[in-house]
Amino acid sequence: MKVFVLGGDGFCGWPTSLHLSNLGHDITIIDNLSRRNIDNELEAGSLTPIQPMGKRLAAWKQTTGHTITYERLDIATNYHRLLTLIQDERPDAIIHFAEQRAAPYSMKSSAHKRYTVNNNLNATHNTLAAIVEANTNTHLIHLGTMGVYGYGTAGMKIPEGYLPIEVTTDQGTKVQQEILYPPNPGSIYHLTKTQDQLFFAYYAKNDRLRITDLHQGIVWGTNTPDTLKDERLINRFDYDGDYGTVLNRFLMQAAVDYPLTVHGTGGQTRAFIHIRDTVRCLQLALENPPDNGERVKILNQMTETHRVRDLAQIVSDITGATIEHTPNPRKEDAENELHVKNDLFLDLGLEPTTLQQGLLEEVTTIAKKYAQRADLDKIPCTSTWTREQQAGTPHTAKKTPETA
Amino acid sequence: MKVFVLGGDGFCGWPTSLHLSNLGHDITIIDNLSRRNIDNELEAGSLTPIQPMGKRLAAWKQTTGHTITYERLDIATNYHRLLTLIQDERPDAIIHFAEQRAAPYSMKSSAHKRYTVNNNLNATHNTLAAIVEANTNTHLIHLGTMGVYGYGTAGMKIPEGYLPIEVTTDQGTKVQQEILYPPNPGSIYHLTKTQDQLFFAYYAKNDRLRITDLHQGIVWGTNTPDTLKDERLINRFDYDGDYGTVLNRFLMQAAVDYPLTVHGTGGQTRAFIHIRDTVRCLQLALENPPDNGERVKILNQMTETHRVRDLAQIVSDITGATIEHTPNPRKEDAENELHVKNDLFLDLGLEPTTLQQGLLEEVTTIAKKYAQRADLDKIPCTSTWTREQQAGTPHTAKKTPETA
């Protein structure tokens, strides 16, 4: 299949592009390098030494013989080029990762909130409008987030997108309906994904587009079999307080002898998935599109749930790292339960990589190996959700030598 | 109170500004004149001879002694000026009409879809982000639409924003919840208002902003007691296929001996409100803000419902106009029921202007008086929702002399 990967330079987009290319699909990466540019802004970078796109693609060609095409393009602003690419190439599928994806980054300031809203919503809508205008019947696969559901506890498993409900009519009888799960986003970033859902529902209804929305948990791990083929193909690993996801930050903290920073009580329960499973899920979604006229196909892309303080304990047990509870920079419930259905991907044949299997490998092959590249000052989460919240900086933080 | 009216040059914004100014409030109109600029694009204009803002405000000052301030500003793009205005003036309330508000316009092309999305979502979000950044506790009042609910029939009255539901837990017990009514927008324009709702819910939760969202029906009528004080204060009246609302188009069609164009069977049931009641509702919303930390206060701003074909018959009975059924350019159900709760405004003291009272007056004082200004070629609804829909052009349409 001919597949566009929007945001194919990013943490999920890059290994997905390789995985699908390796399976023989014809891949075009479309990316504006925004993630690398944000590294410049934040004065932080990938712990792993990621290569420029030119080097990455040359290494892939050299290693596997496969060619991946690359177009540098901002899909949120350059609609016309996106449109002509779709018109000229008529892709069978577009995989859309091209959104600002860090909750803390989206909450740093008004400017960051506004960038996230403007970029994410226009990127998604431009893609939908272009598919309709090009009239190509392209299958759109979007990376959503488990965060659209929120982290309240209603006493039931979170379904895959749609919630069966009962409403009472004026006559007192009860009617069964199935609705898009009522959204409850926890940040501006998550908010944009709940708004994306409404775009998708509308275009599936009005234009009969084929759309799959994948509500992914927190990704951990770094490499996939493809990115391990050559060190120039290595995936990015973010450890900073804005882009580092909780488990990867714990691994890095353990590697550099920094306390594992648990926000508040650490009672937040979250869903997780390994990056290797992410790329397999994308493959399964690509191979199993909905029909035209069908509602948006929503799948929960996660494999296990853990409480944050339990995760910290697991990493501490493996590594001997200390744990420090800090203020929680986020405005959220201190404790929540989370039970999630993920039958759809399991039924399609996904075999999850569990924390038990992969954790130690990550600590030794990634976090310890590249530890000397870390700027310790970038580790704490300093983006606060409101004026009342405080940064998640530990008292016992190590500092980089020049700032200590 | 000090009140900003975003979009204060438009059809609802202008009479609202006058009404609140007349009550003694300190009004600043913020507008980028987009509605007048779209007149230029569409080569259509208000049937009534609206005056430039400078003349409007001078006439208001001369007639009533009240001063209204005016800032020409695009709030969707010029965030910083919006922020400094809020910081400097610290308004008690901001009334937000500053969105592209025509469903047919939003569906004309990809460019129109994209403009509507980009303009409406950034306008709303910039306003919210600016209130948070300015830290002013400003009450935000937004004009939503009945269209967020969609026009499906679930056998119950549409509630004011929130729907009580029952969900079944894993243990088989039932839990009562109240959720934002599941959205079902019928156009890109309506879609943006459902996405606005998610912005509001988030900022009410995270930042404890005080927000009121008014889900308005289709507005009819032209003038209010204030716009009648001087002919230079006259409100706009749109009769074209993109911006003309159904009842106003029927009135104009009757005045120029054009068939009343009913789309499809005319079985669409819609909610209506007179522009006089709109401005009273805005006053009531201003006087009754929610508390900080309260959920978004949602009120249904409509006074009666009618089926489109019944409306056509009423206008035909008054005027003798013929009725012609045309193809429906919209993708929508041919027939729907609509029962809407509007207790909140009635409880606050709203006394509705009914169709029976006001219709004949509109025909004679507006539609007939200014009929010679109409471009008959602009009357049909030619914006189609998909490639399959057809324009709502009647076979018996009169044409303007030069194109006949």
Side-chain angles (χ1 to χ4, degrees):
Chain A
M1 282 194 259
K2 185 166 281 193
V3 182
F4 286 3
V5 181
L6 312 180
D9 186 45
F11 173 56
C12 292
W14 174 243
T16 299
S17 299
L18 297 191
H19 181 66
L20 297 178
S21 173
N22 199 47
L23 291 171
H25 296 298
D26 178 3
I27 305 297
T28 297
I29 287 177
I30 297 177
D31 203 296
N32 65 348
L33 306 183
S34 65
R35 186 64 198 84
R36 293 176 193 249
N37 295 338
I38 289 174
D39 278 349
N40 293 339
E41 172 201 343
L42 296 178
E43 305 178 11
S46 170
L47 189 72
T48 50
I50 57 170
Q51 298 303 307
M53 184 56 88
K55 281 219 172 111
R56 281 182 153 184
L57 297 182
W60 182 245
K61 174 79 177 170
Q62 197 179 0
T63 310
T64 66
H66 293 298
T67 300
I68 293 177
T69 312
Y70 163 53
E71 292 273 343
R72 192 173 66 80
L73 173 64
D74 184 345
I75 64 162
T77 58
N78 194 344
Y79 174 78
H80 194 73
R81 181 60 184 135
L82 175 64
L83 173 66
T84 56
L85 276 168
I86 296 173
Q87 286 173 328
D88 293 346
E89 301 290 329
R90 304 188 72 77
D92 300 291
I94 294 178
I95 303 178
H96 171 29
F97 296 110
E99 297 186 274
Q100 194 295 103
R101 62 99 174 148
Y105 184 82
S106 78
M107 300 302 286
K108 286 178 90 70
S109 73
S110 266
H112 293 89
K113 292 176 189 176
R114 296 176 51 246
Y115 166 74
T116 302
V117 164
N118 185 54
N119 180 73
N120 291 8
L121 298 181
N122 279 312
T124 296
H125 185 251
N126 279 351
T127 305
L128 291 161
I131 293 172
V132 171
E133 187 169 358
N135 203 15
T136 50
N137 200 25
T138 300
H139 174 207
L140 178 65
I141 302 170
H142 172 255
L143 202 78
T145 167
M146 286 294 303
V148 299
Y149 301 119
Y151 298 112
T153 304
M156 81 231 157
K157 271 198 163 176
I158 289 178
E160 308 214 49
Y162 300 97
L163 178 69
I165 63 166
E166 279 185 13
V167 293
T168 305
T169 66
D170 293 345
Q171 286 70 43
T173 56
K174 301 210 170 181
V175 179
Q176 313 279 334
Q177 297 201 345
E178 212 169 50
I179 62 169
L180 202 58
Y181 194 94
N184 186 19
S187 74
I188 293 290
Y189 154 71
H190 293 101
L191 172 63
T192 62
K193 298 264 176 159
T194 70
Q195 294 168 308
D196 280 345
Q197 289 194 292
L198 300 183
F199 279 134
F200 298 139
Y202 182 74
Y203 275 89
K205 178 180 72 167
N206 192 69
D207 300 284
R208 300 168 55 85
L209 293 196
R210 299 182 299 151
I211 303 172
T212 299
D213 202 3
L214 305 174
H215 290 328
Q216 187 168 252
I218 297 170
V219 186
W220 66 283
T222 311
N223 283 311
T224 63
D226 300 304
T227 66
L228 288 170
K229 288 188 161 92
D230 187 298
E231 194 169 359
R232 293 169 295 169
L233 300 173
I234 198 165
N235 198 20
R236 59 180 301 138
F237 179 110
D238 295 303
Y239 65 90
D240 64 285
D242 289 318
Y243 276 89
T245 54
V246 58
L247 187 48
N248 280 2
R249 282 193 300 115
F250 285 165
L251 297 176
M252 214 287 292
Q253 289 169 337
V256 299
D257 200 20
Y258 195 98
L260 309 184
T261 49
V262 173
H263 296 157
T265 65
Q268 311 91 339
T269 308
R270 295 291 181 266
F272 293 87
I273 185 168
H274 194 282
I275 186 71
R276 277 176 225 162
D277 293 339
T278 292
V279 305
R280 287 187 209 130
C281 286
L282 266 300
Q283 175 195 343
L284 293 170
L286 184 68
E287 293 167 353
N288 295 278
D291 291 327
N292 293 108
E294 215 177 290
R295 71 183 184 185
V296 178
K297 189 168 184 176
I298 301 176
L299 299 92
N300 291 339
Q301 187 161 308
M302 50 68 68
T303 58
E304 51 193 315
T305 62
H306 294 279
R307 223 174 260 277
V308 169
R309 63 172 170 257
D310 298 337
L311 278 183
Q313 194 58 55
I314 293 169
V315 174
S316 174
D317 289 346
I318 295 175
T319 62
T322 60
I323 295 173
E324 184 173 331
H325 289 261
T326 73
N328 189 351
R330 303 188 183 209
K331 184 163 175 173
E332 63 184 354
D333 289 341
E335 306 267 330
N336 73 290
E337 301 287 332
L338 187 64
H339 304 287
V340 183
K341 285 194 183 168
N342 64 344
D343 303 337
L344 294 178
F345 271 127
L346 297 178
D347 291 349
L348 290 173
L350 179 70
E351 292 171 15
T353 305
T354 65
L355 234 65
Q356 297 298 340
Q357 297 161 353
L359 212 49
L360 193 57
E361 184 192 332
E362 284 293 328
V363 174
T364 52
T365 64
I366 299 293
K368 284 199 175 153
K369 180 170 179 187
Y370 297 110
Q372 82 289 351
R373 287 171 48 91
D375 178 350
L376 305 188
D377 298 344
K378 297 298 177 185
I379 291 179
C381 294
T382 57
S383 172
T384 58
W385 261 231
T386 72
R387 287 180 177 77
E388 284 72 46
Q389 265 69 41
Q390 294 170 36
T393 310
H395 292 295
T396 57
K398 279 175 70 175
K399 299 225 169 206
T400 48
E402 67 270 26
T403 61
Chain B
M1 281 193 258
K2 185 167 283 194
V3 182
F4 286 1
V5 181
L6 312 180
D9 186 43
F11 173 55
C12 292
W14 174 243
T16 299
S17 299
L18 298 190
H19 181 67
L20 298 179
S21 174
N22 199 47
L23 291 171
H25 297 298
D26 178 3
I27 304 297
T28 297
I29 287 176
I30 296 177
D31 203 296
N32 65 347
L33 304 184
S34 65
R35 188 62 198 83
R36 294 177 193 249
N37 296 337
I38 289 174
D39 279 348
N40 294 339
E41 173 200 343
L42 296 178
E43 306 179 12
S46 171
L47 190 71
T48 50
I50 57 170
Q51 299 302 307
M53 185 56 89
K55 280 216 173 117
R56 281 182 152 182
L57 297 182
W60 181 246
K61 174 80 176 171
Q62 198 179 1
T63 309
T64 66
H66 293 298
T67 300
I68 294 177
T69 312
Y70 165 53
E71 292 274 342
R72 192 172 66 79
L73 173 64
D74 184 344
I75 63 163
T77 58
N78 194 343
Y79 174 77
H80 194 73
R81 181 61 185 133
L82 175 65
L83 173 66
T84 56
L85 276 169
I86 296 173
Q87 285 172 329
D88 294 346
E89 301 290 328
R90 305 187 72 76
D92 300 291
I94 294 178
I95 302 177
H96 172 28
F97 296 109
E99 297 186 272
Q100 193 296 102
R101 61 97 173 153
Y105 184 83
S106 78
M107 300 303 285
K108 287 179 89 68
S109 74
S110 265
H112 293 89
K113 292 175 189 176
R114 295 175 51 244
Y115 167 73
T116 301
V117 164
N118 186 54
N119 180 73
N120 290 7
L121 298 182
N122 279 313
T124 296
H125 184 251
N126 279 351
T127 305
L128 290 161
I131 293 172
V132 171
E133 188 169 358
N135 204 15
T136 50
N137 201 24
T138 300
H139 174 206
L140 179 64
I141 302 170
H142 172 255
L143 202 78
T145 168
M146 285 294 303
V148 298
Y149 300 119
Y151 298 112
T153 303
M156 81 231 158
K157 271 198 163 176
I158 289 178
E160 307 214 48
Y162 299 97
L163 178 69
I165 63 166
E166 279 186 12
V167 293
T168 305
T169 67
D170 293 345
Q171 286 71 42
T173 56
K174 301 210 170 181
V175 179
Q176 313 279 333
Q177 297 201 344
E178 211 169 51
I179 62 169
L180 202 58
Y181 194 94
N184 186 20
S187 74
I188 293 290
Y189 154 72
H190 293 101
L191 171 64
T192 62
K193 298 265 176 158
T194 69
Q195 294 167 309
D196 280 345
Q197 289 193 293
L198 300 183
F199 279 133
F200 298 139
Y202 182 74
Y203 275 88
K205 178 181 71 167
N206 192 69
D207 300 284
R208 300 169 55 85
L209 293 196
R210 299 182 298 150
I211 303 173
T212 300
D213 202 5
L214 304 174
H215 290 328
Q216 187 168 253
I218 297 170
V219 186
W220 64 283
T222 312
N223 283 310
T224 63
D226 300 304
T227 66
L228 288 170
K229 288 189 162 93
D230 186 298
E231 194 169 0
R232 292 168 295 169
L233 300 172
I234 198 166
N235 198 19
R236 60 180 301 137
F237 179 110
D238 296 302
Y239 66 91
D240 64 284
D242 289 319
Y243 275 88
T245 53
V246 57
L247 187 48
N248 279 3
R249 282 193 301 115
F250 285 166
L251 297 176
M252 213 285 292
Q253 290 169 336
V256 298
D257 200 19
Y258 194 99
L260 309 184
T261 49
V262 173
H263 295 158
T265 66
Q268 310 91 338
T269 308
R270 294 292 180 267
F272 293 88
I273 185 169
H274 193 283
I275 186 70
R276 276 176 225 161
D277 294 338
T278 292
V279 304
R280 286 187 211 129
C281 286
L282 266 299
Q283 175 196 343
L284 293 169
L286 183 68
E287 292 167 354
N288 295 279
D291 290 328
N292 293 108
E294 216 178 288
R295 71 181 183 185
V296 178
K297 189 169 184 176
I298 300 177
L299 299 93
N300 291 339
Q301 188 161 308
M302 50 70 67
T303 58
E304 51 193 314
T305 61
H306 295 278
R307 222 174 260 278
V308 170
R309 62 172 171 256
D310 298 338
L311 277 184
Q313 194 58 55
I314 293 169
V315 174
S316 174
D317 290 345
I318 294 176
T319 62
T322 60
I323 295 172
E324 184 174 331
H325 289 261
T326 73
N328 190 350
R330 302 188 184 210
K331 184 162 175 173
E332 62 184 354
D333 289 341
E335 307 266 330
N336 73 291
E337 302 286 332
L338 187 64
H339 305 288
V340 183
K341 285 194 183 169
N342 65 343
D343 303 337
L344 294 178
F345 271 127
L346 297 178
D347 292 349
L348 290 173
L350 179 69
E351 293 170 15
T353 305
T354 64
L355 234 65
Q356 297 298 342
Q357 297 162 352
L359 213 47
L360 193 57
E361 185 192 332
E362 284 292 328
V363 175
T364 53
T365 64
I366 299 293
K368 284 200 176 153
K369 181 172 179 185
Y370 298 108
Q372 81 289 351
R373 287 171 49 91
D375 177 351
L376 305 188
D377 299 344
K378 297 298 178 185
I379 291 180
C381 294
T382 57
S383 172
T384 58
W385 261 232
T386 72
R387 286 179 177 79
E388 284 71 46
Q389 266 68 40
Q390 294 170 34
T393 309
H395 292 296
T396 58
K398 279 176 72 175
K399 299 227 168 203
T400 48
E402 67 271 25
T403 61

